[in-house]
Amino acid sequence: MPGALPELSGRQPQLAGNGAANITGRMANPIPESERLMEAIISRSNMMAAYSKVVANKGAPGVDKMPVTELKSYLQEHWPCIKEELLAGTYVPLPVLRVDIPKPDGGTRTLGIPTVLDRLIQQGINQVLGAMFIPEFSKSSYGYIPGRSAHQAVQAARKHVADGKRWVVDIDLEKFFDRVNHDILMSLVKRKVKDPKVLKLIDSYLKAGMFAGGLVLQREEGTPQGSPLSPLLSNILLDELDKELEKRGHVFCRYADDCNIYVATKASGERVMASITRFLSEQLKLTVNQAKSAVDRPWRRIFLGYSMNWYPRPRLRAGAKAVAKFKANMRKLCRRWKGRSLQQVIEEVNPKLRGWFNYFRYVESDIVFEELDGWLRRKLRRNLWKQWKRTYTRAKNLIKLGLSSAASWRFVRKQRGPWAVAGTNILNRTLNNDYFEKRGLVSLLTQYNRFQRVS
């Protein structure tokens, strides 16, 4: 962002090669590095990196309605004053904007959208504190950590089951992001962060009100989803759970607030469930959702959208809920067909298909991809049939597709519903796979076969 952040006067603290802040300088009595983190956070190099990240993420405006596109000009005018407030410890963040979004399994998830300026500052904090905390996080934690992914968590889970841990303690934390205890979290942050200005700023972000329905609701617990700082703070808190599990010698996989512990027997699983539930309640003030948590076979549970079968060497599968959600999304897109061409619908559907495959590409069977391909093509045939409407139009289009005139008229005069027609041999032959491929429809099965060849 050329010119967005004015040059800072005097010596600038730089970020060391490993990402940690090197801010001791050459002073007669240097202040310990951990007590001068604010200088590292507001350094030009760190804020430039934070700006690039915030702009790339885009995102909705907060309560001040400032879009990301206006951040640069705002900083050019106001950054010197903001910087002084941050250095003085007097900066006060604006409330977050409450947004409720539906969850796939019912209910709603509450997001808190900070202003774009607060997202910038939080991202700056996240970059400096992440370099301090992340290296010590458990190797069995995969969520929101650079170089780790949900796919790695799923592969590790499969390995634990293949190694003989054929029972899973599936722990679901009840409204985790809404229930984070501020005092416990801040005590954990203080183990490494000694700069009082940074501690005060983090605490102010945790306690920033939530704007909803024209009112600002004060918050005494929780860290809002939608904040750049929340993933790191949640990992700092739940790393205590990781360390407890490691101390007890358990194998586990955790991705954010999804935690699966793998054990050899049901009895040991029940003991672990009881003791870990007690630890979470007493030590971290977190509640286990008893309705969604269970001690069960791994092939009867879903972890990060994936399931697996019961073979000695388990094979990964797409979870039933993930398949159902995929179909629901495709139905929604197909319902918006009216007034649009098949080509327009395909252009809207294709990014969803690529995204779904990219996540589930490690499924070890082509059956689900073949079935979903066939189901989606049938949906498109059904909508085309409905779009053609009149008997004459339907017959004319079938003739264009290569069906004889007699067969076309005989077929269109039969009284059947669009979904039944879409599954007939005649429509499968005329609106075949090649027809959709020529129009650019992405095939999940083709992508899967290509991925198998190169992997």
Side-chain angles (χ1 to χ4, degrees), residues 220-242:
E220 299 299 329
E221 61 180 2
T223 175
Q225 295 186 71
S227 154
L229 198 52
S230 288
L232 176 63
L233 295 178
S234 66
N235 271 332
I236 290 172
L237 180 65
L238 289 177
D239 191 58
E240 294 299 294
L241 169 63
D242 299 342

mmCIF file with all atom_site columns, all heavy atoms in Angstrom, residues 220-242:
data_model
loop_
_atom_site.group_PDB
_atom_site.id
_atom_site.type_symbol
_atom_site.label_atom_id
_atom_site.label_alt_id
_atom_site.label_comp_id
_atom_site.label_asym_id
_atom_site.label_entity_id
_atom_site.label_seq_id
_atom_site.pdbx_PDB_ins_code
_atom_site.Cartn_x
_atom_site.Cartn_y
_atom_site.Cartn_z
_atom_site.occupancy
_atom_site.B_iso_or_equiv
_atom_site.pdbx_formal_charge
_atom_site.auth_seq_id
_atom_site.auth_comp_id
_atom_site.auth_asym_id
_atom_site.auth_atom_id
_atom_site.pdbx_PDB_model_num
ATOM 1   N N   . GLU A 1 220 ? -19.022 -10.023 28.417 1.00 0.00 ? 220 GLU A N   1
ATOM 2   C CA  . GLU A 1 220 ? -18.160 -10.380 29.535 1.00 0.00 ? 220 GLU A CA  1
ATOM 3   C C   . GLU A 1 220 ? -17.433 -11.688 29.286 1.00 0.00 ? 220 GLU A C   1
ATOM 4   O O   . GLU A 1 220 ? -16.567 -12.085 30.067 1.00 0.00 ? 220 GLU A O   1
ATOM 5   C CB  . GLU A 1 220 ? -18.988 -10.494 30.832 1.00 0.00 ? 220 GLU A CB  1
ATOM 6   C CG  . GLU A 1 220 ? -19.685 -9.209  31.237 1.00 0.00 ? 220 GLU A CG  1
ATOM 7   C CD  . GLU A 1 220 ? -18.702 -8.074  31.510 1.00 0.00 ? 220 GLU A CD  1
ATOM 8   O OE1 . GLU A 1 220 ? -17.575 -8.361  31.964 1.00 0.00 ? 220 GLU A OE1 1
ATOM 9   O OE2 . GLU A 1 220 ? -19.048 -6.909  31.238 1.00 0.00 ? 220 GLU A OE2 1
ATOM 10  N N   . GLU A 1 221 ? -17.786 -12.392 28.219 1.00 0.00 ? 221 GLU A N   1
ATOM 11  C CA  . GLU A 1 221 ? -17.105 -13.627 27.859 1.00 0.00 ? 221 GLU A CA  1
ATOM 12  C C   . GLU A 1 221 ? -17.181 -13.811 26.348 1.00 0.00 ? 221 GLU A C   1
ATOM 13  O O   . GLU A 1 221 ? -17.954 -13.147 25.657 1.00 0.00 ? 221 GLU A O   1
ATOM 14  C CB  . GLU A 1 221 ? -17.739 -14.830 28.568 1.00 0.00 ? 221 GLU A CB  1
ATOM 15  C CG  . GLU A 1 221 ? -19.200 -15.051 28.210 1.00 0.00 ? 221 GLU A CG  1
ATOM 16  C CD  . GLU A 1 221 ? -19.798 -16.241 28.929 1.00 0.00 ? 221 GLU A CD  1
ATOM 17  O OE1 . GLU A 1 221 ? -19.087 -16.870 29.742 1.00 0.00 ? 221 GLU A OE1 1
ATOM 18  O OE2 . GLU A 1 221 ? -20.969 -16.567 28.663 1.00 0.00 ? 221 GLU A OE2 1
ATOM 19  N N   . GLY A 1 222 ? -16.350 -14.701 25.818 1.00 0.00 ? 222 GLY A N   1
ATOM 20  C CA  . GLY A 1 222 ? -16.379 -15.004 24.392 1.00 0.00 ? 222 GLY A CA  1
ATOM 21  C C   . GLY A 1 222 ? -15.390 -14.178 23.600 1.00 0.00 ? 222 GLY A C   1
ATOM 22  O O   . GLY A 1 222 ? -14.930 -13.119 24.034 1.00 0.00 ? 222 GLY A O   1
ATOM 23  N N   . THR A 1 223 ? -15.044 -14.703 22.441 1.00 0.00 ? 223 THR A N   1
ATOM 24  C CA  . THR A 1 223 ? -14.214 -13.992 21.476 1.00 0.00 ? 223 THR A CA  1
ATOM 25  C C   . THR A 1 223 ? -14.901 -14.116 20.134 1.00 0.00 ? 223 THR A C   1
ATOM 26  O O   . THR A 1 223 ? -15.161 -15.225 19.668 1.00 0.00 ? 223 THR A O   1
ATOM 27  C CB  . THR A 1 223 ? -12.773 -14.561 21.434 1.00 0.00 ? 223 THR A CB  1
ATOM 28  O OG1 . THR A 1 223 ? -12.040 -13.926 20.396 1.00 0.00 ? 223 THR A OG1 1
ATOM 29  C CG2 . THR A 1 223 ? -12.743 -16.055 21.237 1.00 0.00 ? 223 THR A CG2 1
ATOM 30  N N   . PRO A 1 224 ? -15.291 -13.002 19.507 1.00 0.00 ? 224 PRO A N   1
ATOM 31  C CA  . PRO A 1 224 ? -16.191 -13.066 18.353 1.00 0.00 ? 224 PRO A CA  1
ATOM 32  C C   . PRO A 1 224 ? -15.576 -13.744 17.132 1.00 0.00 ? 224 PRO A C   1
ATOM 33  O O   . PRO A 1 224 ? -14.444 -13.446 16.748 1.00 0.00 ? 224 PRO A O   1
ATOM 34  C CB  . PRO A 1 224 ? -16.487 -11.586 18.054 1.00 0.00 ? 224 PRO A CB  1
ATOM 35  C CG  . PRO A 1 224 ? -15.340 -10.847 18.646 1.00 0.00 ? 224 PRO A CG  1
ATOM 36  C CD  . PRO A 1 224 ? -14.916 -11.630 19.845 1.00 0.00 ? 224 PRO A CD  1
ATOM 37  N N   . GLN A 1 225 ? -16.321 -14.686 16.549 1.00 0.00 ? 225 GLN A N   1
ATOM 38  C CA  . GLN A 1 225 ? -15.914 -15.240 15.262 1.00 0.00 ? 225 GLN A CA  1
ATOM 39  C C   . GLN A 1 225 ? -16.030 -14.140 14.212 1.00 0.00 ? 225 GLN A C   1
ATOM 40  O O   . GLN A 1 225 ? -17.005 -13.416 14.183 1.00 0.00 ? 225 GLN A O   1
ATOM 41  C CB  . GLN A 1 225 ? -16.811 -16.415 14.901 1.00 0.00 ? 225 GLN A CB  1
ATOM 42  C CG  . GLN A 1 225 ? -16.677 -17.608 15.837 1.00 0.00 ? 225 GLN A CG  1
ATOM 43  C CD  . GLN A 1 225 ? -17.473 -18.806 15.348 1.00 0.00 ? 225 GLN A CD  1
ATOM 44  O OE1 . GLN A 1 225 ? -17.128 -19.430 14.363 1.00 0.00 ? 225 GLN A OE1 1
ATOM 45  N NE2 . GLN A 1 225 ? -18.545 -19.116 16.045 1.00 0.00 ? 225 GLN A NE2 1
ATOM 46  N N   . GLY A 1 226 ? -15.046 -14.046 13.375 1.00 0.00 ? 226 GLY A N   1
ATOM 47  C CA  . GLY A 1 226 ? -15.000 -12.965 12.400 1.00 0.00 ? 226 GLY A CA  1
ATOM 48  C C   . GLY A 1 226 ? -13.866 -12.011 12.688 1.00 0.00 ? 226 GLY A C   1
ATOM 49  O O   . GLY A 1 226 ? -13.536 -11.161 11.877 1.00 0.00 ? 226 GLY A O   1
ATOM 50  N N   . SER A 1 227 ? -13.244 -12.157 13.842 1.00 0.00 ? 227 SER A N   1
ATOM 51  C CA  . SER A 1 227 ? -12.113 -11.319 14.230 1.00 0.00 ? 227 SER A CA  1
ATOM 52  C C   . SER A 1 227 ? -10.809 -12.003 13.830 1.00 0.00 ? 227 SER A C   1
ATOM 53  O O   . SER A 1 227 ? -10.641 -13.202 14.074 1.00 0.00 ? 227 SER A O   1
ATOM 54  C CB  . SER A 1 227 ? -12.139 -11.095 15.746 1.00 0.00 ? 227 SER A CB  1
ATOM 55  O OG  . SER A 1 227 ? -10.856 -10.839 16.256 1.00 0.00 ? 227 SER A OG  1
ATOM 56  N N   . PRO A 1 228 ? -9.844  -11.275 13.235 1.00 0.00 ? 228 PRO A N   1
ATOM 57  C CA  . PRO A 1 228 ? -8.557  -11.887 12.863 1.00 0.00 ? 228 PRO A CA  1
ATOM 58  C C   . PRO A 1 228 ? -7.785  -12.447 14.051 1.00 0.00 ? 228 PRO A C   1
ATOM 59  O O   . PRO A 1 228 ? -6.944  -13.319 13.892 1.00 0.00 ? 228 PRO A O   1
ATOM 60  C CB  . PRO A 1 228 ? -7.786  -10.736 12.215 1.00 0.00 ? 228 PRO A CB  1
ATOM 61  C CG  . PRO A 1 228 ? -8.829  -9.770  11.774 1.00 0.00 ? 228 PRO A CG  1
ATOM 62  C CD  . PRO A 1 228 ? -9.925  -9.867  12.790 1.00 0.00 ? 228 PRO A CD  1
ATOM 63  N N   . LEU A 1 229 ? -8.071  -11.931 15.242 1.00 0.00 ? 229 LEU A N   1
ATOM 64  C CA  . LEU A 1 229 ? -7.333  -12.351 16.431 1.00 0.00 ? 229 LEU A CA  1
ATOM 65  C C   . LEU A 1 229 ? -7.954  -13.579 17.104 1.00 0.00 ? 229 LEU A C   1
ATOM 66  O O   . LEU A 1 229 ? -7.272  -14.297 17.842 1.00 0.00 ? 229 LEU A O   1
ATOM 67  C CB  . LEU A 1 229 ? -7.272  -11.181 17.416 1.00 0.00 ? 229 LEU A CB  1
ATOM 68  C CG  . LEU A 1 229 ? -6.234  -11.202 18.536 1.00 0.00 ? 229 LEU A CG  1
ATOM 69  C CD1 . LEU A 1 229 ? -4.835  -11.468 18.005 1.00 0.00 ? 229 LEU A CD1 1
ATOM 70  C CD2 . LEU A 1 229 ? -6.276  -9.887  19.298 1.00 0.00 ? 229 LEU A CD2 1
ATOM 71  N N   . SER A 1 230 ? -9.238  -13.834 16.864 1.00 0.00 ? 230 SER A N   1
ATOM 72  C CA  . SER A 1 230 ? -9.939  -14.913 17.564 1.00 0.00 ? 230 SER A CA  1
ATOM 73  C C   . SER A 1 230 ? -9.330  -16.296 17.365 1.00 0.00 ? 230 SER A C   1
ATOM 74  O O   . SER A 1 230 ? -9.227  -17.070 18.321 1.00 0.00 ? 230 SER A O   1
ATOM 75  C CB  . SER A 1 230 ? -11.417 -14.927 17.164 1.00 0.00 ? 230 SER A CB  1
ATOM 76  O OG  . SER A 1 230 ? -12.091 -13.842 17.739 1.00 0.00 ? 230 SER A OG  1
ATOM 77  N N   . PRO A 1 231 ? -8.927  -16.689 16.132 1.00 0.00 ? 231 PRO A N   1
ATOM 78  C CA  . PRO A 1 231 ? -8.335  -18.024 15.972 1.00 0.00 ? 231 PRO A CA  1
ATOM 79  C C   . PRO A 1 231 ? -7.099  -18.235 16.835 1.00 0.00 ? 231 PRO A C   1
ATOM 80  O O   . PRO A 1 231 ? -6.937  -19.303 17.450 1.00 0.00 ? 231 PRO A O   1
ATOM 81  C CB  . PRO A 1 231 ? -8.002  -18.082 14.481 1.00 0.00 ? 231 PRO A CB  1
ATOM 82  C CG  . PRO A 1 231 ? -8.965  -17.138 13.841 1.00 0.00 ? 231 PRO A CG  1
ATOM 83  C CD  . PRO A 1 231 ? -9.122  -16.024 14.825 1.00 0.00 ? 231 PRO A CD  1
ATOM 84  N N   . LEU A 1 232 ? -6.208  -17.225 16.896 1.00 0.00 ? 232 LEU A N   1
ATOM 85  C CA  . LEU A 1 232 ? -5.010  -17.367 17.720 1.00 0.00 ? 232 LEU A CA  1
ATOM 86  C C   . LEU A 1 232 ? -5.374  -17.454 19.199 1.00 0.00 ? 232 LEU A C   1
ATOM 87  O O   . LEU A 1 232 ? -4.857  -18.307 19.934 1.00 0.00 ? 232 LEU A O   1
ATOM 88  C CB  . LEU A 1 232 ? -4.057  -16.190 17.478 1.00 0.00 ? 232 LEU A CB  1
ATOM 89  C CG  . LEU A 1 232 ? -2.803  -16.165 18.356 1.00 0.00 ? 232 LEU A CG  1
ATOM 90  C CD1 . LEU A 1 232 ? -1.928  -17.386 18.093 1.00 0.00 ? 232 LEU A CD1 1
ATOM 91  C CD2 . LEU A 1 232 ? -2.011  -14.878 18.139 1.00 0.00 ? 232 LEU A CD2 1
ATOM 92  N N   . LEU A 1 233 ? -6.280  -16.594 19.643 1.00 0.00 ? 233 LEU A N   1
ATOM 93  C CA  . LEU A 1 233 ? -6.674  -16.616 21.057 1.00 0.00 ? 233 LEU A CA  1
ATOM 94  C C   . LEU A 1 233 ? -7.335  -17.937 21.428 1.00 0.00 ? 233 LEU A C   1
ATOM 95  O O   . LEU A 1 233 ? -7.101  -18.471 22.518 1.00 0.00 ? 233 LEU A O   1
ATOM 96  C CB  . LEU A 1 233 ? -7.608  -15.438 21.358 1.00 0.00 ? 233 LEU A CB  1
ATOM 97  C CG  . LEU A 1 233 ? -6.987  -14.041 21.222 1.00 0.00 ? 233 LEU A CG  1
ATOM 98  C CD1 . LEU A 1 233 ? -8.033  -12.966 21.498 1.00 0.00 ? 233 LEU A CD1 1
ATOM 99  C CD2 . LEU A 1 233 ? -5.785  -13.864 22.150 1.00 0.00 ? 233 LEU A CD2 1
ATOM 100 N N   . SER A 1 234 ? -8.159  -18.477 20.531 1.00 0.00 ? 234 SER A N   1
ATOM 101 C CA  . SER A 1 234 ? -8.808  -19.753 20.827 1.00 0.00 ? 234 SER A CA  1
ATOM 102 C C   . SER A 1 234 ? -7.776  -20.866 20.917 1.00 0.00 ? 234 SER A C   1
ATOM 103 O O   . SER A 1 234 ? -7.883  -21.763 21.769 1.00 0.00 ? 234 SER A O   1
ATOM 104 C CB  . SER A 1 234 ? -9.854  -20.074 19.762 1.00 0.00 ? 234 SER A CB  1
ATOM 105 O OG  . SER A 1 234 ? -9.265  -20.292 18.494 1.00 0.00 ? 234 SER A OG  1
ATOM 106 N N   . ASN A 1 235 ? -6.752  -20.823 20.062 1.00 0.00 ? 235 ASN A N   1
ATOM 107 C CA  . ASN A 1 235 ? -5.700  -21.840 20.130 1.00 0.00 ? 235 ASN A CA  1
ATOM 108 C C   . ASN A 1 235 ? -4.861  -21.699 21.397 1.00 0.00 ? 235 ASN A C   1
ATOM 109 O O   . ASN A 1 235 ? -4.403  -22.702 21.956 1.00 0.00 ? 235 ASN A O   1
ATOM 110 C CB  . ASN A 1 235 ? -4.802  -21.756 18.896 1.00 0.00 ? 235 ASN A CB  1
ATOM 111 C CG  . ASN A 1 235 ? -5.314  -22.618 17.750 1.00 0.00 ? 235 ASN A CG  1
ATOM 112 O OD1 . ASN A 1 235 ? -5.972  -23.630 17.968 1.00 0.00 ? 235 ASN A OD1 1
ATOM 113 N ND2 . ASN A 1 235 ? -5.009  -22.221 16.530 1.00 0.00 ? 235 ASN A ND2 1
ATOM 114 N N   . ILE A 1 236 ? -4.637  -20.465 21.842 1.00 0.00 ? 236 ILE A N   1
ATOM 115 C CA  . ILE A 1 236 ? -3.892  -20.265 23.099 1.00 0.00 ? 236 ILE A CA  1
ATOM 116 C C   . ILE A 1 236 ? -4.644  -20.912 24.256 1.00 0.00 ? 236 ILE A C   1
ATOM 117 O O   . ILE A 1 236 ? -4.046  -21.575 25.112 1.00 0.00 ? 236 ILE A O   1
ATOM 118 C CB  . ILE A 1 236 ? -3.670  -18.759 23.355 1.00 0.00 ? 236 ILE A CB  1
ATOM 119 C CG1 . ILE A 1 236 ? -2.666  -18.188 22.347 1.00 0.00 ? 236 ILE A CG1 1
ATOM 120 C CG2 . ILE A 1 236 ? -3.187  -18.507 24.786 1.00 0.00 ? 236 ILE A CG2 1
ATOM 121 C CD1 . ILE A 1 236 ? -2.516  -16.675 22.389 1.00 0.00 ? 236 ILE A CD1 1
ATOM 122 N N   . LEU A 1 237 ? -5.964  -20.741 24.269 1.00 0.00 ? 237 LEU A N   1
ATOM 123 C CA  . LEU A 1 237 ? -6.758  -21.335 25.343 1.00 0.00 ? 237 LEU A CA  1
ATOM 124 C C   . LEU A 1 237 ? -6.788  -22.858 25.227 1.00 0.00 ? 237 LEU A C   1
ATOM 125 O O   . LEU A 1 237 ? -6.527  -23.579 26.203 1.00 0.00 ? 237 LEU A O   1
ATOM 126 C CB  . LEU A 1 237 ? -8.177  -20.770 25.305 1.00 0.00 ? 237 LEU A CB  1
ATOM 127 C CG  . LEU A 1 237 ? -9.138  -21.295 26.377 1.00 0.00 ? 237 LEU A CG  1
ATOM 128 C CD1 . LEU A 1 237 ? -8.672  -20.866 27.768 1.00 0.00 ? 237 LEU A CD1 1
ATOM 129 C CD2 . LEU A 1 237 ? -10.554 -20.801 26.127 1.00 0.00 ? 237 LEU A CD2 1
ATOM 130 N N   . LEU A 1 238 ? -7.091  -23.374 24.048 1.00 0.00 ? 238 LEU A N   1
ATOM 131 C CA  . LEU A 1 238 ? -7.262  -24.819 23.893 1.00 0.00 ? 238 LEU A CA  1
ATOM 132 C C   . LEU A 1 238 ? -5.933  -25.562 23.851 1.00 0.00 ? 238 LEU A C   1
ATOM 133 O O   . LEU A 1 238 ? -5.924  -26.797 23.935 1.00 0.00 ? 238 LEU A O   1
ATOM 134 C CB  . LEU A 1 238 ? -8.085  -25.109 22.638 1.00 0.00 ? 238 LEU A CB  1
ATOM 135 C CG  . LEU A 1 238 ? -9.559  -24.722 22.756 1.00 0.00 ? 238 LEU A CG  1
ATOM 136 C CD1 . LEU A 1 238 ? -10.300 -24.965 21.450 1.00 0.00 ? 238 LEU A CD1 1
ATOM 137 C CD2 . LEU A 1 238 ? -10.241 -25.492 23.894 1.00 0.00 ? 238 LEU A CD2 1
ATOM 138 N N   . ASP A 1 239 ? -4.817  -24.849 23.740 1.00 0.00 ? 239 ASP A N   1
ATOM 139 C CA  . ASP A 1 239 ? -3.527  -25.519 23.866 1.00 0.00 ? 239 ASP A CA  1
ATOM 140 C C   . ASP A 1 239 ? -3.362  -26.116 25.263 1.00 0.00 ? 239 ASP A C   1
ATOM 141 O O   . ASP A 1 239 ? -2.610  -27.079 25.449 1.00 0.00 ? 239 ASP A O   1
ATOM 142 C CB  . ASP A 1 239 ? -2.387  -24.544 23.566 1.00 0.00 ? 239 ASP A CB  1
ATOM 143 C CG  . ASP A 1 239 ? -1.050  -25.242 23.431 1.00 0.00 ? 239 ASP A CG  1
ATOM 144 O OD1 . ASP A 1 239 ? -0.937  -26.138 22.566 1.00 0.00 ? 239 ASP A OD1 1
ATOM 145 O OD2 . ASP A 1 239 ? -0.112  -24.898 24.183 1.00 0.00 ? 239 ASP A OD2 1
ATOM 146 N N   . GLU A 1 240 ? -4.071  -25.553 26.226 1.00 0.00 ? 240 GLU A N   1
ATOM 147 C CA  . GLU A 1 240 ? -4.066  -26.138 27.576 1.00 0.00 ? 240 GLU A CA  1
ATOM 148 C C   . GLU A 1 240 ? -4.685  -27.535 27.555 1.00 0.00 ? 240 GLU A C   1
ATOM 149 O O   . GLU A 1 240 ? -4.215  -28.442 28.253 1.00 0.00 ? 240 GLU A O   1
ATOM 150 C CB  . GLU A 1 240 ? -4.831  -25.234 28.551 1.00 0.00 ? 240 GLU A CB  1
ATOM 151 C CG  . GLU A 1 240 ? -4.166  -23.893 28.793 1.00 0.00 ? 240 GLU A CG  1
ATOM 152 C CD  . GLU A 1 240 ? -2.780  -24.041 29.394 1.00 0.00 ? 240 GLU A CD  1
ATOM 153 O OE1 . GLU A 1 240 ? -2.682  -24.516 30.545 1.00 0.00 ? 240 GLU A OE1 1
ATOM 154 O OE2 . GLU A 1 240 ? -1.810  -23.704 28.704 1.00 0.00 ? 240 GLU A OE2 1
ATOM 155 N N   . LEU A 1 241 ? -5.750  -27.706 26.769 1.00 0.00 ? 241 LEU A N   1
ATOM 156 C CA  . LEU A 1 241 ? -6.342  -29.038 26.605 1.00 0.00 ? 241 LEU A CA  1
ATOM 157 C C   . LEU A 1 241 ? -5.352  -29.963 25.916 1.00 0.00 ? 241 LEU A C   1
ATOM 158 O O   . LEU A 1 241 ? -5.175  -31.123 26.325 1.00 0.00 ? 241 LEU A O   1
ATOM 159 C CB  . LEU A 1 241 ? -7.633  -28.930 25.788 1.00 0.00 ? 241 LEU A CB  1
ATOM 160 C CG  . LEU A 1 241 ? -8.252  -30.246 25.306 1.00 0.00 ? 241 LEU A CG  1
ATOM 161 C CD1 . LEU A 1 241 ? -8.671  -31.122 26.478 1.00 0.00 ? 241 LEU A CD1 1
ATOM 162 C CD2 . LEU A 1 241 ? -9.448  -29.973 24.388 1.00 0.00 ? 241 LEU A CD2 1
ATOM 163 N N   . ASP A 1 242 ? -4.694  -29.470 24.865 1.00 0.00 ? 242 ASP A N   1
ATOM 164 C CA  . ASP A 1 242 ? -3.714  -30.296 24.146 1.00 0.00 ? 242 ASP A CA  1
ATOM 165 C C   . ASP A 1 242 ? -2.607  -30.781 25.077 1.00 0.00 ? 242 ASP A C   1
ATOM 166 O O   . ASP A 1 242 ? -2.243  -31.960 25.065 1.00 0.00 ? 242 ASP A O   1
ATOM 167 C CB  . ASP A 1 242 ? -3.088  -29.498 22.997 1.00 0.00 ? 242 ASP A CB  1
ATOM 168 C CG  . ASP A 1 242 ? -4.114  -29.040 21.971 1.00 0.00 ? 242 ASP A CG  1
ATOM 169 O OD1 . ASP A 1 242 ? -5.229  -29.603 21.956 1.00 0.00 ? 242 ASP A OD1 1
ATOM 170 O OD2 . ASP A 1 242 ? -3.800  -28.114 21.202 1.00 0.00 ? 242 ASP A OD2 1
#
